[in-house]
Amino acid sequence: MSGGNGSNKLWGGRFGGAPSEIMEHINASIDFDRRLYTQDIAASQAHCAMLVETGIISSADGAAIEKGLAQILSEIDAGELNVDPKLEDIHMHVESRLTEIIGEAAGRLHTARSRNDQVATDFKLWVRDAIDGIDRALADFQRALLAQADQHAETVLPGFTHLQVAQPVTLGHHLLAFVEMAGRDRGRFADARTRLNESPLGAAALAGTSFPIDRQATAKALGFERPAANSLDAVSDRDFAIEFLAAAALCATHLSRLAEELVVWSSAQFGFVSMSDGFSTGSSIMPQKRNPDAAELIRAKTGRIAGALNTLLMVMKGLPLAYSKDMQEDKEPVFDAADSLGLCLAAMTGMVRDMTVNTEAMLASAATGFSTATDLADWLVQNLDMPFRQAHHVTGALVKLAEDKGCDLPDLLLEDMQSAEPGITAQVFDVLTVERSVASRTSEGGTAPARVREAINKWKERLA
């Protein structure tokens, strides 16, 4: 909405002319910050109540403002926001509409605050809500992993290092690794939430205000732990958004690692898992194809989320105190990353929950690549009192012998074993099966099914 000279009624008193059309376009943020409307109205309601309580505005004006804000919230919820680029952002849209509804009293709402502390407050509230939603999604993801881990606590598959067969592990143990990662992700988001939970409201433009406001009251009304301690920092801080993006980028990286495994595992060459119809696509030319597109898109969106973190770091890196218009660029990367991560979590949770495990293919693969070589070396140490380095050398020689014979370690004859170490007895074959191998890994945090079930039960208790 413009005045007679084309300047903005909400800030145009200093200006004799209107901004250019290009300036209006680059300056406007309503296309994306309209998402803050719930938080903006909630913060305005808290601010209004405090202004009445402290006697800064009358109770009659406060009641009119409160009623008008409630009406605006209802209108926007119903999709009735009339966007005017000249009004720049969601804050000015709300104030302009409030003026239309209640008249001059609307102008009193902005007493003792600035758009600087207003937007910082709104954005913190939005990020806090986003963290709460992501935490719930991560918990659902953990439950999906635990359900599969519980079902496959004894299912054997090859454990890899360098994408080479290393030692047999259980699928339950493998999936629990991602439960642990998701647990750390939840911890990082929780830490970020704790640090952000200080209210900028009342910092005004940068220096505080001369009005006798009660920042404790507005902080409490909005669920903050306390007011931010320094007004300059309060309006210029975007650490909370950067921390959110850092946690999101690492969380997405974890999802991408699992996505990569599902892509590999569902290939014909591995055949470890089959993805459900709900999370697969076909080919326009090759009728036999079943593509794990959801997993591949999660891999790709991880770059998008990490890019959002880098974007905001670059926005903030050279800004002097306090507020600069550069900071208008903080919201789009955060909104996009939050949307992308939420979608990735939902897709990965669905894929894990619906996937079918080919236990036979996993077991057959686990028995290849001399995966029980370490068990043989451990047997030599435990039964022949051999130093581990010597046992490692003997085992290496037996692996070479098996390679030459075109067989695996359990297929060697006893005399073959004794050609490398005469002390070896027939008992050695008891430890060379993959089932015995995983069952023997009973150290804390190990892959033995008994340990896996212990870990599953502990996580179920934590998630309950």
Side-chain angles (χ1 to χ4, degrees):
M1 185 176 295
S2 301
N5 61 4
S7 62
N8 192 300
K9 280 187 175 180
L10 299 184
W11 55 258
R14 165 69 176 80
F15 293 82
S20 75
E21 190 174 334
I22 294 173
M23 181 60 195
E24 285 185 352
H25 187 69
I26 196 173
N27 198 46
S29 58
I30 185 59
D31 286 345
F32 53 86
D33 70 16
R34 61 197 300 171
R35 295 178 64 158
L36 298 174
Y37 78 90
T38 302
Q39 291 78 20
D40 190 68
I41 291 172
S44 290
Q45 289 170 327
H47 185 66
C48 176
M50 181 275 295
L51 292 176
V52 171
E53 187 65 27
T54 54
I56 296 172
I57 67 173
S58 69
S59 57
D61 283 341
I65 291 169
E66 173 61 37
K67 184 178 179 181
L69 289 172
Q71 179 179 330
I72 295 168
L73 179 61
S74 178
E75 289 174 353
I76 301 179
D77 281 342
E80 297 173 6
L81 176 65
N82 294 317
V83 174
D84 180 355
K86 291 185 176 64
L87 293 175
E88 297 180 15
D89 55 33
I90 188 61
H91 325 294
M92 292 171 69
H93 275 75
V94 170
E95 186 172 339
S96 177
R97 178 61 182 143
L98 187 63
T99 301
E100 291 174 356
I101 296 171
I102 68 171
E104 187 178 286
R108 301 190 186 282
L109 175 59
H110 209 55
T111 306
R113 75 174 182 184
S114 161
R115 272 196 293 175
N116 294 353
D117 63 335
Q118 187 179 1
V119 69
T121 302
D122 295 354
F123 198 22
K124 274 195 171 185
L125 291 172
W126 193 94
V127 171
R128 193 176 71 184
D129 290 343
I131 288 173
D132 292 345
I134 287 171
D135 182 71
R136 289 189 294 270
L138 277 165
D140 287 342
F141 173 50
Q142 288 179 300
R143 292 186 186 99
L145 289 165
L146 285 171
Q148 287 283 12
D150 205 3
Q151 187 175 348
H152 294 287
E154 298 181 16
T155 297
V156 179
L157 79 160
F160 297 94
T161 58
H162 309 279
L163 206 57
Q164 306 291 315
V165 173
Q167 292 179 269
V169 295
T170 55
L171 179 57
H173 190 59
H174 191 104
L175 295 175
L176 281 170
F178 288 97
V179 175
E180 295 290 339
M181 291 181 214
R184 293 195 296 274
D185 290 326
R186 294 180 70 188
R188 272 181 285 272
F189 281 116
D191 289 345
R193 192 190 194 284
T194 297
R195 267 185 294 278
L196 75 77
N197 211 27
E198 296 182 344
S199 174
L201 195 57
L206 76 164
T209 178
S210 59
F211 289 94
I213 62 172
D214 184 349
R215 294 189 65 209
Q216 295 286 343
T218 52
K220 182 178 180 181
L222 293 170
F224 288 111
E225 286 295 320
R226 63 190 69 84
N230 182 284
S231 61
L232 283 166
D233 181 52
V235 299
S236 63
D237 167 40
R238 293 299 183 270
D239 289 4
F240 64 93
I242 293 171
E243 277 198 79
F244 170 79
L245 290 175
L250 188 48
C251 179
T253 299
H254 293 151
L255 295 179
S256 185
R257 295 182 72 182
L258 179 54
E260 170 67 11
E261 293 194 325
L262 293 181
V263 169
V264 172
W265 287 2
S266 62
S267 67
Q269 288 72 23
F270 274 73
F272 286 2
V273 298
S274 296
M275 311 312 297
S276 71
D277 290 350
F279 294 96
S280 303
T281 64
S283 166
S284 63
I285 189 173
M286 296 168 286
Q288 84 281 9
K289 293 294 293 298
R290 186 183 187 87
N291 300 324
D293 281 7
E296 292 169 6
L297 287 165
I298 288 170
R299 261 189 336 204
K301 286 182 183 295
T302 297
R304 185 169 176 164
I305 295 167
L309 169 61
N310 195 51
T311 294
L312 191 48
L313 285 169
M314 293 305 99
V315 166
M316 297 301 297
K317 70 175 180 61
L319 298 188
L321 293 178
Y323 180 84
S324 296
K325 192 68 170 181
D326 310 50
M327 293 160 72
Q328 182 169 289
E329 293 296 309
D330 58 359
K331 293 165 204 65
E332 285 184 286
V334 170
F335 292 160
D336 187 76
D339 291 345
S340 296
L341 182 58
L343 185 57
C344 287
L345 279 166
M348 184 58 81
T349 300
M351 279 191 290
V352 169
R353 187 174 287 136
D354 293 354
M355 71 181 183
T356 301
V357 176
N358 185 342
T359 56
E360 293 80 7
M362 286 187 173
L363 179 61
S365 182
T368 64
F370 311 104
S371 64
T372 56
T374 304
D375 298 273
L376 172 56
D378 289 347
W379 186 91
L380 294 171
V381 171
Q382 292 168 351
N383 290 272
L384 303 185
D385 196 27
M386 189 179 290
F388 183 79
R389 285 300 169 204
Q390 183 183 348
H392 187 284
H393 181 79
V394 170
T395 301
L398 289 172
V399 168
K400 178 66 168 60
L401 178 61
E403 275 185 327
D404 293 342
K405 286 178 169 285
C407 66
D408 212 326
L409 285 173
D411 303 316
L412 288 173
L413 300 174
L414 179 58
E415 48 265 37
D416 293 328
M417 296 276 192
Q418 291 174 336
S419 69
E421 170 50 55
I424 293 176
T425 69
Q427 289 180 332
V428 74
F429 294 101
D430 292 341
V431 303
L432 296 183
T433 67
V434 292
E435 293 88 353
R436 289 285 183 90
S437 176
V438 297
S440 71
R441 306 297 170 185
T442 55
S443 58
E444 187 172 351
T447 193
R451 285 296 195 181
V452 170
R453 295 200 183 282
E454 285 178 10
I456 290 169
N457 290 334
K458 286 179 181 178
W459 270 110
K460 283 182 176 179
E461 289 175 10
R462 289 173 66 177
L463 290 171

mmCIF file of all heavy atoms in Angstrom, residues 66-91:
data_model
loop_
_atom_site.group_PDB
_atom_site.id
_atom_site.type_symbol
_atom_site.label_atom_id
_atom_site.label_comp_id
_atom_site.label_asym_id
_atom_site.label_seq_id
_atom_site.Cartn_x
_atom_site.Cartn_y
_atom_site.Cartn_z
ATOM 1 N N GLU A 66 -5.688 -7.484 19.728
ATOM 2 C CA GLU A 66 -5.780 -8.938 19.923
ATOM 3 C C GLU A 66 -6.868 -9.536 19.045
ATOM 4 O O GLU A 66 -6.663 -10.567 18.381
ATOM 5 C CB GLU A 66 -6.040 -9.255 21.390
ATOM 6 C CG GLU A 66 -6.313 -10.735 21.687
ATOM 7 C CD GLU A 66 -5.149 -11.636 21.318
ATOM 8 O OE1 GLU A 66 -3.991 -11.228 21.510
ATOM 9 O OE2 GLU A 66 -5.411 -12.760 20.825
ATOM 10 N N LYS A 67 -8.026 -8.901 18.997
ATOM 11 C CA LYS A 67 -9.126 -9.389 18.177
ATOM 12 C C LYS A 67 -8.766 -9.342 16.700
ATOM 13 O O LYS A 67 -9.042 -10.287 15.933
ATOM 14 C CB LYS A 67 -10.381 -8.561 18.442
ATOM 15 C CG LYS A 67 -11.616 -9.068 17.703
ATOM 16 C CD LYS A 67 -12.843 -8.234 18.060
ATOM 17 C CE LYS A 67 -14.079 -8.745 17.297
ATOM 18 N NZ LYS A 67 -15.279 -7.930 17.616
ATOM 19 N N GLY A 68 -8.119 -8.261 16.289
ATOM 20 C CA GLY A 68 -7.711 -8.139 14.893
ATOM 21 C C GLY A 68 -6.673 -9.178 14.506
ATOM 22 O O GLY A 68 -6.744 -9.765 13.410
ATOM 23 N N LEU A 69 -5.706 -9.425 15.373
ATOM 24 C CA LEU A 69 -4.682 -10.436 15.091
ATOM 25 C C LEU A 69 -5.295 -11.822 14.968
ATOM 26 O O LEU A 69 -4.904 -12.611 14.097
ATOM 27 C CB LEU A 69 -3.606 -10.430 16.188
ATOM 28 C CG LEU A 69 -2.666 -9.219 16.212
ATOM 29 C CD1 LEU A 69 -1.791 -9.255 17.464
ATOM 30 C CD2 LEU A 69 -1.792 -9.172 14.962
ATOM 31 N N ALA A 70 -6.258 -12.131 15.826
ATOM 32 C CA ALA A 70 -6.933 -13.426 15.745
ATOM 33 C C ALA A 70 -7.664 -13.573 14.410
ATOM 34 O O ALA A 70 -7.670 -14.649 13.792
ATOM 35 C CB ALA A 70 -7.899 -13.588 16.908
ATOM 36 N N GLN A 71 -8.267 -12.492 13.959
ATOM 37 C CA GLN A 71 -8.965 -12.523 12.676
ATOM 38 C C GLN A 71 -7.979 -12.740 11.521
ATOM 39 O O GLN A 71 -8.242 -13.533 10.601
ATOM 40 C CB GLN A 71 -9.745 -11.227 12.457
ATOM 41 C CG GLN A 71 -10.485 -11.187 11.105
ATOM 42 C CD GLN A 71 -11.277 -9.910 10.911
ATOM 43 O OE1 GLN A 71 -11.747 -9.301 11.868
ATOM 44 N NE2 GLN A 71 -11.429 -9.501 9.655
ATOM 45 N N ILE A 72 -6.831 -12.061 11.583
ATOM 46 C CA ILE A 72 -5.824 -12.208 10.531
ATOM 47 C C ILE A 72 -5.292 -13.639 10.486
ATOM 48 O O ILE A 72 -5.116 -14.217 9.405
ATOM 49 C CB ILE A 72 -4.677 -11.204 10.739
ATOM 50 C CG1 ILE A 72 -5.199 -9.778 10.579
ATOM 51 C CG2 ILE A 72 -3.537 -11.457 9.755
ATOM 52 C CD1 ILE A 72 -4.210 -8.719 11.047
ATOM 53 N N LEU A 73 -5.051 -14.204 11.647
ATOM 54 C CA LEU A 73 -4.587 -15.595 11.701
ATOM 55 C C LEU A 73 -5.588 -16.519 11.033
ATOM 56 O O LEU A 73 -5.216 -17.398 10.233
ATOM 57 C CB LEU A 73 -4.356 -16.012 13.155
ATOM 58 C CG LEU A 73 -3.880 -17.456 13.367
ATOM 59 C CD1 LEU A 73 -2.546 -17.709 12.676
ATOM 60 C CD2 LEU A 73 -3.779 -17.768 14.868
ATOM 61 N N SER A 74 -6.854 -16.320 11.345
ATOM 62 C CA SER A 74 -7.904 -17.138 10.735
ATOM 63 C C SER A 74 -7.946 -16.953 9.223
ATOM 64 O O SER A 74 -8.092 -17.919 8.471
ATOM 65 C CB SER A 74 -9.256 -16.786 11.360
ATOM 66 O OG SER A 74 -10.293 -17.521 10.765
ATOM 67 N N GLU A 75 -7.790 -15.707 8.775
ATOM 68 C CA GLU A 75 -7.821 -15.418 7.339
ATOM 69 C C GLU A 75 -6.663 -16.094 6.605
ATOM 70 O O GLU A 75 -6.854 -16.714 5.550
ATOM 71 C CB GLU A 75 -7.780 -13.905 7.107
ATOM 72 C CG GLU A 75 -9.057 -13.185 7.503
ATOM 73 C CD GLU A 75 -8.929 -11.672 7.404
ATOM 74 O OE1 GLU A 75 -7.807 -11.170 7.155
ATOM 75 O OE2 GLU A 75 -9.947 -10.967 7.568
ATOM 76 N N ILE A 76 -5.466 -15.978 7.174
ATOM 77 C CA ILE A 76 -4.299 -16.562 6.489
ATOM 78 C C ILE A 76 -4.380 -18.082 6.524
ATOM 79 O O ILE A 76 -4.040 -18.755 5.548
ATOM 80 C CB ILE A 76 -2.985 -16.050 7.100
ATOM 81 C CG1 ILE A 76 -2.911 -14.522 7.010
ATOM 82 C CG2 ILE A 76 -1.796 -16.655 6.363
ATOM 83 C CD1 ILE A 76 -1.651 -13.923 7.625
ATOM 84 N N ASP A 77 -4.841 -18.639 7.646
ATOM 85 C CA ASP A 77 -5.050 -20.096 7.710
ATOM 86 C C ASP A 77 -5.974 -20.561 6.590
ATOM 87 O O ASP A 77 -5.817 -21.667 6.052
ATOM 88 C CB ASP A 77 -5.652 -20.495 9.065
ATOM 89 C CG ASP A 77 -4.616 -20.549 10.172
ATOM 90 O OD1 ASP A 77 -3.411 -20.616 9.858
ATOM 91 O OD2 ASP A 77 -5.016 -20.526 11.355
ATOM 92 N N ALA A 78 -6.931 -19.713 6.254
ATOM 93 C CA ALA A 78 -7.908 -20.054 5.213
ATOM 94 C C ALA A 78 -7.410 -19.704 3.809
ATOM 95 O O ALA A 78 -8.155 -19.844 2.832
ATOM 96 C CB ALA A 78 -9.223 -19.340 5.486
ATOM 97 N N GLY A 79 -6.152 -19.248 3.711
ATOM 98 C CA GLY A 79 -5.584 -18.933 2.411
ATOM 99 C C GLY A 79 -6.008 -17.591 1.862
ATOM 100 O O GLY A 79 -5.989 -17.378 0.645
ATOM 101 N N GLU A 80 -6.367 -16.666 2.738
ATOM 102 C CA GLU A 80 -6.907 -15.385 2.293
ATOM 103 C C GLU A 80 -5.922 -14.231 2.458
ATOM 104 O O GLU A 80 -6.320 -13.083 2.631
ATOM 105 C CB GLU A 80 -8.193 -15.070 3.068
ATOM 106 C CG GLU A 80 -9.297 -16.091 2.817
ATOM 107 C CD GLU A 80 -10.508 -15.869 3.719
ATOM 108 O OE1 GLU A 80 -10.519 -14.865 4.452
ATOM 109 O OE2 GLU A 80 -11.416 -16.721 3.686
ATOM 110 N N LEU A 81 -4.621 -14.512 2.373
ATOM 111 C CA LEU A 81 -3.629 -13.446 2.433
ATOM 112 C C LEU A 81 -3.528 -12.774 1.074
ATOM 113 O O LEU A 81 -3.215 -13.408 0.066
ATOM 114 C CB LEU A 81 -2.259 -14.009 2.825
ATOM 115 C CG LEU A 81 -1.091 -13.023 2.835
ATOM 116 C CD1 LEU A 81 -1.290 -11.959 3.902
ATOM 117 C CD2 LEU A 81 0.233 -13.751 3.045
ATOM 118 N N ASN A 82 -3.803 -11.495 1.034
ATOM 119 C CA ASN A 82 -3.685 -10.726 -0.204
ATOM 120 C C ASN A 82 -2.282 -10.135 -0.281
ATOM 121 O O ASN A 82 -1.946 -9.191 0.434
ATOM 122 C CB ASN A 82 -4.739 -9.608 -0.234
ATOM 123 C CG ASN A 82 -6.155 -10.155 -0.304
ATOM 124 O OD1 ASN A 82 -6.417 -11.090 -1.055
ATOM 125 N ND2 ASN A 82 -7.056 -9.592 0.493
ATOM 126 N N VAL A 83 -1.469 -10.708 -1.145
ATOM 127 C CA VAL A 83 -0.062 -10.322 -1.216
ATOM 128 C C VAL A 83 0.099 -9.038 -2.020
ATOM 129 O O VAL A 83 -0.412 -8.912 -3.136
ATOM 130 C CB VAL A 83 0.775 -11.449 -1.856
ATOM 131 C CG1 VAL A 83 2.213 -10.983 -2.060
ATOM 132 C CG2 VAL A 83 0.732 -12.692 -0.973
ATOM 133 N N ASP A 84 0.828 -8.083 -1.421
ATOM 134 C CA ASP A 84 1.162 -6.827 -2.080
ATOM 135 C C ASP A 84 2.676 -6.651 -1.966
ATOM 136 O O ASP A 84 3.193 -6.415 -0.872
ATOM 137 C CB ASP A 84 0.442 -5.667 -1.403
ATOM 138 C CG ASP A 84 0.754 -4.312 -2.048
ATOM 139 O OD1 ASP A 84 1.604 -4.279 -2.967
ATOM 140 O OD2 ASP A 84 0.167 -3.311 -1.620
ATOM 141 N N PRO A 85 3.421 -6.797 -3.069
ATOM 142 C CA PRO A 85 4.890 -6.695 -3.000
ATOM 143 C C PRO A 85 5.376 -5.399 -2.379
ATOM 144 O O PRO A 85 6.473 -5.354 -1.804
ATOM 145 C CB PRO A 85 5.319 -6.806 -4.466
ATOM 146 C CG PRO A 85 4.201 -7.525 -5.139
ATOM 147 C CD PRO A 85 2.955 -7.101 -4.429
ATOM 148 N N LYS A 86 4.593 -4.337 -2.460
ATOM 149 C CA LYS A 86 5.010 -3.065 -1.875
ATOM 150 C C LYS A 86 5.103 -3.149 -0.358
ATOM 151 O O LYS A 86 5.761 -2.322 0.280
ATOM 152 C CB LYS A 86 4.042 -1.947 -2.286
ATOM 153 C CG LYS A 86 4.108 -1.563 -3.765
ATOM 154 C CD LYS A 86 3.211 -0.364 -4.045
ATOM 155 C CE LYS A 86 3.354 0.094 -5.500
ATOM 156 N NZ LYS A 86 2.906 -0.925 -6.465
ATOM 157 N N LEU A 87 4.427 -4.127 0.229
ATOM 158 C CA LEU A 87 4.464 -4.294 1.682
ATOM 159 C C LEU A 87 5.635 -5.159 2.150
ATOM 160 O O LEU A 87 5.750 -5.439 3.348
ATOM 161 C CB LEU A 87 3.134 -4.868 2.181
ATOM 162 C CG LEU A 87 1.930 -3.928 2.030
ATOM 163 C CD1 LEU A 87 0.645 -4.632 2.439
ATOM 164 C CD2 LEU A 87 2.123 -2.654 2.840
ATOM 165 N N GLU A 88 6.441 -5.604 1.218
ATOM 166 C CA GLU A 88 7.734 -6.241 1.471
ATOM 167 C C GLU A 88 7.678 -7.603 2.157
ATOM 168 O O GLU A 88 8.123 -8.599 1.609
ATOM 169 C CB GLU A 88 8.651 -5.343 2.310
ATOM 170 C CG GLU A 88 9.038 -4.039 1.656
ATOM 171 C CD GLU A 88 9.947 -3.220 2.542
ATOM 172 O OE1 GLU A 88 10.505 -3.763 3.521
ATOM 173 O OE2 GLU A 88 10.100 -2.011 2.259
ATOM 174 N N ASP A 89 7.157 -7.653 3.386
ATOM 175 C CA ASP A 89 7.316 -8.883 4.151
ATOM 176 C C ASP A 89 6.036 -9.207 4.922
ATOM 177 O O ASP A 89 5.055 -8.459 4.906
ATOM 178 C CB ASP A 89 8.505 -8.776 5.116
ATOM 179 C CG ASP A 89 8.418 -7.568 6.037
ATOM 180 O OD1 ASP A 89 7.298 -7.179 6.401
ATOM 181 O OD2 ASP A 89 9.483 -7.020 6.393
ATOM 182 N N ILE A 90 6.063 -10.340 5.607
ATOM 183 C CA ILE A 90 4.869 -10.800 6.323
ATOM 184 C C ILE A 90 4.520 -9.862 7.466
ATOM 185 O O ILE A 90 3.339 -9.647 7.780
ATOM 186 C CB ILE A 90 5.053 -12.255 6.846
ATOM 187 C CG1 ILE A 90 3.738 -12.801 7.410
ATOM 188 C CG2 ILE A 90 6.180 -12.326 7.863
ATOM 189 C CD1 ILE A 90 2.603 -12.875 6.396
ATOM 190 N N HIS A 91 5.528 -9.239 8.076
ATOM 191 C CA HIS A 91 5.279 -8.347 9.211
ATOM 192 C C HIS A 91 4.450 -7.137 8.770
ATOM 193 O O HIS A 91 3.486 -6.747 9.442
ATOM 194 C CB HIS A 91 6.601 -7.894 9.829
ATOM 195 C CG HIS A 91 7.657 -8.941 9.797
ATOM 196 N ND1 HIS A 91 7.554 -10.110 10.518
ATOM 197 C CD2 HIS A 91 8.830 -9.010 9.108
ATOM 198 C CE1 HIS A 91 8.622 -10.857 10.275
ATOM 199 N NE2 HIS A 91 9.405 -10.215 9.424
#
